[in-house]
Amino acid sequence: MDLLAALVEKGLRRESPSREEALAVLATSDDDLLDVVAAAGRVRRHWFGRRVKLNYLVNLKSGLCPEDCSYCSQRLGSKAEILKYTWLKPEEAAEAAAAGVAGGAKRVCLVASGRGPTDRDLDRVSRTIEAVKEQNEGVEVCACLGLLSDGQAERLRDAGADAYNHNLNTSESTYGEITTTHTYADRVDTVGKAHAAGLSACSGLIAGMGESDEDLVDVVFALRALDPDSVPVNFLIPFEGTPLAEEWNLTPQRALRILAMVRFVCPDVEVRLAGGREVHLRTLQPLALHLANSIFLGDYLTSEGQAGRADLEMIADAGFEVEGAGTPTLPRHRVAGGGCGSVCGGDAAADGGGEGVRAGCGEAASAGGEATTAGCGGACGHTEPGAEAAAASESGRGTGGSAGDAARPDLVAVRRRGAGTDLAPNA
């Protein structure tokens, strides 16, 4: 396909595809799916080789959130039966983190429910960061605490945090349909605060909430404009007791197309396969490793993930390798220049790519037209087009699989993590 050849060449040059090209990826047929995966896989291997970075979540405070994010089992008014507890002690969090590091994780993500941290919360999290780093030499720590006020990102950096996660989740035009207690602009502002403080920004999306193809492309181009170092791609887990409990819109093929589109738009960024992968990709998870270079190991915030041993076996069987603690995740030009398209002429082969092509300059900030002002958010966690992008744009919200295939919620049950027990986070 001429489309895929053009997208590969742009990806190797760190050049943004057009919106029409991104929409066309989402509109490809199941007959072309393996070609799409192979093309996006070339871009992934060019920048990241066959390495897979492992990340591990520690839920510091679960449930009882005052925000009304429709996708979240911890939301205000949620009737989902989940673990609820207040802040873990630093030593408890460090012990939980150690289990992930022992499994090969090089980044620990410290997450807490809530609108945003108070100064007292930051004191707790700072002590927790110190405890995690003291017990696990060389580990990266990413904090995900909600909306940040002035000066809070700097406090986290001074405490030893390496990164901050806050997802955009969906497009600016539809954000108000998902959440009413804060705005899309609030999320963009928090990502900007993390950047300004010198933290590595982590920001992504949730697919499968009934959004259109245009919404998905909007949020991914917005993310490119914000220029985070890592982009988690979550697939909605439709928890009973939440407003989106019936939103079963994804097929494994649809999820792979979304990941491929993200890889083409963000070619040299850590694309992370995040929440919901087991539920929606199911037996096609190994194919997703050709698109994403990072995954979460073990459980998520309020749902069970695939067993860690199964993840490691999947990575090895698919011909990939776990990224070592001493290996930089990002290509050299992103580490040195601080962003996509900010430095010309990085050596892809030395950065972990396979083809040895020297990268040119991209135009990250200008790509995507009106979407360039958008932003992104924290760690939480779909639709199917017709044969043409134009037809997809008319299909509206919440369409299902390809060639008449419907999503199959009966194939995988959502497993709640430790509900009704005193199970420790990610035990």
Side-chain angles (χ1 to χ4, degrees):
M1 295 174 67
D2 292 341
L3 167 68
L4 296 179
L7 287 171
V8 170
E9 290 304 312
K10 287 184 176 183
L12 300 185
R13 297 195 301 266
R14 301 182 358 238
E15 181 181 338
S16 175
S18 66
R19 285 181 51 83
E20 291 71 24
E21 288 171 326
L23 285 167
V25 171
L26 296 179
T28 52
S29 70
D30 285 353
D31 290 340
D32 294 323
L33 181 61
L34 289 181
D35 293 332
V36 172
V37 172
R42 281 193 63 194
V43 178
R44 179 252 200 265
R45 290 192 304 276
H46 179 78
W47 296 112
F48 299 97
R50 303 189 73 85
R51 306 189 312 275
V52 178
K53 180 177 181 176
L54 300 182
N55 308 267
Y56 193 72
L57 282 172
V58 176
N59 199 358
L60 298 180
K61 181 166 75 77
S62 182
L64 307 175
C65 183
E67 302 299 288
D68 69 353
C69 305
S70 299
Y71 51 82
C72 186
S73 59
Q74 305 180 78
R75 72 188 297 271
L76 178 69
S78 171
K79 294 179 172 56
E81 296 181 6
I82 61 170
L83 281 170
K84 298 175 183 178
Y85 52 84
T86 189
W87 292 92
L88 295 182
K89 296 177 180 178
E91 57 271 21
E92 293 173 328
E95 183 178 354
V101 174
K106 63 184 293 185
R107 172 172 287 190
V108 171
C109 303
L110 302 176
V111 188
S113 63
R115 178 179 178 85
T118 64
D119 287 343
R120 185 180 179 186
D121 293 337
L122 282 184
D123 289 339
R124 292 190 185 97
V125 175
S126 294
R127 292 194 298 270
T128 299
I129 293 171
E130 293 166 0
V132 169
K133 290 216 161 190
E134 181 178 343
Q135 186 168 332
N136 304 280
E137 184 178 356
V139 71
E140 299 174 7
V141 173
C142 178
C144 177
L145 311 173
L147 301 172
L148 294 177
S149 302
D150 290 344
Q152 291 187 324
E154 287 78 5
R155 287 188 60 186
L156 290 168
R157 179 202 62 206
D158 293 344
D162 301 284
Y164 195 81
N165 168 263
H166 199 62
N167 295 326
L168 288 186
N169 292 329
T170 192
S171 67
E172 183 174 16
S173 63
T174 59
Y175 193 82
E177 300 174 28
I178 300 299
T179 304
T180 66
T181 48
H182 61 265
T183 68
Y184 185 87
D186 291 332
R187 288 186 171 268
V188 175
D189 179 67
T190 286
V191 179
K193 283 181 167 64
H195 259 313
L199 294 170
S200 176
C202 172
S203 189
L205 65 143
I206 304 173
M209 298 190 289
E211 69 281 336
S212 67
D213 284 2
E214 286 75 13
D215 291 323
L216 285 170
V217 170
D218 281 349
V219 69
V220 176
F221 272 99
L223 288 167
R224 177 174 172 118
L226 278 183
D227 198 27
D229 289 325
S230 55
V231 174
V233 180
N234 298 276
F235 302 107
L236 176 71
I237 301 176
F239 262 96
E240 291 185 14
T242 67
L244 299 184
E246 302 303 318
E247 291 288 343
W248 288 92
N249 302 309
L250 290 175
T251 64
Q253 295 83 0
R254 171 68 170 172
L256 288 171
R257 289 188 192 92
I258 292 168
L259 286 166
M261 186 268 288
V262 174
R263 175 55 70 196
F264 285 130
V265 177
C266 303
D268 61 341
V269 168
E270 176 191 343
V271 176
R272 185 176 308 147
L273 190 56
R277 63 178 168 95
E278 300 88 347
V279 174
H280 296 290
L281 281 161
R282 300 192 286 277
T283 57
L284 295 192
Q285 285 186 78
L287 279 180
L289 295 178
H290 293 271
L291 309 170
N293 63 295
S294 177
I295 67 171
F296 278 109
L297 184 70
D299 294 339
Y300 303 101
L301 296 177
T302 60
S303 65
E304 292 182 6
Q306 186 167 279
R309 181 178 295 277
D311 282 337
L312 297 177
E313 290 173 350
M314 177 180 72
I315 291 168
D317 288 348
F320 292 87
E321 61 184 20
V322 173
E323 184 173 284
T327 302
T329 299
L330 296 174
R332 184 183 305 154
H333 65 268
R334 288 195 65 87
V335 176
C340 178
S342 62
V343 177
C344 294
D347 189 332
D351 291 337
E355 282 104 356
V357 178
R358 292 187 66 83
C361 272
E363 295 182 7
S366 62
E370 68 272 33
T372 58
T373 59
C376 163
C380 284
H382 310 350
T383 34
E384 189 62 40
E388 298 178 358
S393 68
E394 297 172 359
S395 64
R397 297 169 59 83
T399 53
S402 175
D405 293 338
R408 293 288 306 276
D410 57 309
L411 291 179
V412 177
V414 175
R415 297 177 300 176
R416 292 175 289 108
R417 184 175 60 77
T421 75
D422 57 358
L423 182 69
N426 270 352

